[in-house]
Amino acid sequence: MTERNRTEKPEPPSNAIGKILSFIRERRYQPAERLPSERDFAEKFDTSRGAVREALAALEAMRVIERRPNSGIYLRHSDDSSIEALVLHAESGLPFQANEIADVFEVRRMLEVQAARLACTRRTPDNIRDLRAILSDTEKRLAKKQTIEREDEAFHLAIFAATKNDILLRVVKSFYELSRQRRRIYFADHNRGRRSYEDHCEILEAIEGRRVGQAEQKMNEHLSQTIETWQTLLGEPKIPARR
């Protein structure tokens, strides 16, 4: 065992995952194309084979790659990969393609509007109390000129909780993982936080009154405004309207 191996801590598999994903993107590998071996990755990144092995196992579980016996490691088509793979992609700091951005926003909009609809018919008094408590915390933070990124996420997730659909809630949490960095930038502006709070108040009022059409409309308007601001802020391409 070398001095380096005795004294340095093993690299976390998550670091190796990010390096592998970056390597695949930079080298423009195509679906079904063979990737370097476990040993090659370890040498290329100057890390342990154990960390690479765990990283590859995670990527295989998320259907990003496939390992073929006596053949090697191959890249799978992006259509085959899981939502967790997108989260890893975002956490690794890799940019999304324009079509990927459009798809993420479109799915989030569908889920959020549907959640507002379901919350109107399924919400309980406890759900309303939880939402009001979040808005109260939001107002206090705004009064102190503080960011409300956590309160914003909590409010939206509380609406999903009010749908009583645990699978829907679990799915949408991944989308909030995807957008965490963007929301941190977005809510650095106090005026955006204030506008979001006002939208949330109107959405809650519609849900509490079980006004389905109004809740859907308010949520859709809220997301449309937010998405447009994000695109302008980050210089991302405009997302075309889907017909």
Side-chain angles (χ1 to χ4, degrees):
M1 180 180 292
T2 66
E3 183 66 24
R4 176 179 182 273
N5 289 333
R6 285 198 300 269
T7 59
E8 291 187 4
K9 294 181 180 179
E11 182 175 20
S14 58
N15 291 353
I17 289 173
K19 291 178 179 179
I20 292 171
L21 289 175
S22 295
F23 179 82
I24 291 172
R25 173 61 66 90
E26 290 170 1
R27 297 300 177 90
R28 300 181 183 277
Y29 277 95
Q30 299 301 309
E33 190 172 353
R34 186 176 178 179
L35 301 175
S37 67
E38 179 184 297
R39 175 182 293 178
D40 290 337
F41 273 130
E43 292 178 353
K44 186 178 299 293
F45 301 142
D46 191 24
T47 190
S48 70
R49 288 188 64 175
V52 171
R53 187 177 302 116
E54 290 185 52
L56 291 173
L59 291 173
E60 184 176 30
M62 288 180 280
R63 303 189 296 280
V64 175
I65 64 168
E66 65 173 322
R67 288 186 279 193
R68 302 175 186 172
N70 303 317
S71 181
I73 305 167
Y74 294 83
L75 181 66
R76 297 186 65 163
H77 196 282
S78 60
D79 290 350
D80 297 330
S81 63
S82 66
I83 187 67
E84 288 81 4
L86 283 176
V87 174
L88 275 177
H89 189 105
E91 290 178 345
S92 299
L94 298 174
F96 285 97
Q97 301 297 325
N99 64 306
E100 292 174 322
I101 296 171
D103 288 346
V104 167
F105 282 148
E106 183 177 47
V107 173
R108 184 192 165 190
R109 186 197 299 271
M110 288 189 292
L111 293 177
E112 296 264 13
V113 172
Q114 179 66 11
R117 164 184 282 274
L118 293 175
C120 283
T121 59
R122 299 179 181 178
R123 60 74 172 167
T124 64
D126 285 344
N127 294 132
I128 298 301
R129 280 193 291 270
D130 289 344
L131 287 162
R132 288 204 175 280
I134 294 169
L135 288 184
S136 177
D137 291 341
T138 303
E139 188 173 28
K140 291 175 183 176
R141 291 187 64 82
L142 287 172
K144 297 177 182 179
K145 304 292 184 180
Q146 295 174 332
T147 181
I148 64 161
E149 60 184 90
R150 292 181 181 177
E151 289 72 21
D152 174 81
E153 178 176 341
F155 181 83
H156 284 272
L157 293 182
I159 291 177
F160 280 95
T163 69
K164 312 305 179 186
N165 188 317
D166 290 340
I167 299 300
L168 184 58
L169 177 59
R170 286 161 60 184
V171 168
V172 82
K173 282 182 177 179
S174 296
F175 283 89
Y176 276 87
E177 290 290 337
L178 283 172
S179 65
R180 185 152 291 160
Q181 184 176 5
R182 284 194 176 108
R183 285 185 294 104
R184 186 175 298 118
I185 297 171
Y186 181 87
F187 287 113
D189 185 295
H190 178 75
N191 290 329
R192 296 190 196 109
R194 170 59 62 179
R195 187 167 60 244
S196 181
Y197 166 73
E198 292 171 353
D199 287 350
H200 288 179
C201 288
E202 293 182 352
I203 292 169
L204 175 54
E205 184 179 336
I207 292 175
E208 185 173 15
R210 300 189 188 276
R211 296 188 290 273
V212 175
Q214 183 179 0
E216 289 181 316
Q217 178 185 351
K218 292 297 182 181
M219 179 63 77
N220 192 48
E221 291 174 352
H222 172 60
L223 293 175
S224 296
Q225 179 176 266
T226 301
I227 290 171
E228 183 177 347
T229 303
W230 277 358
Q231 292 170 308
T232 301
L233 178 66
L234 301 176
E236 294 176 341
K238 294 293 182 181
I239 297 175
R242 303 295 178 95
R243 297 182 182 277

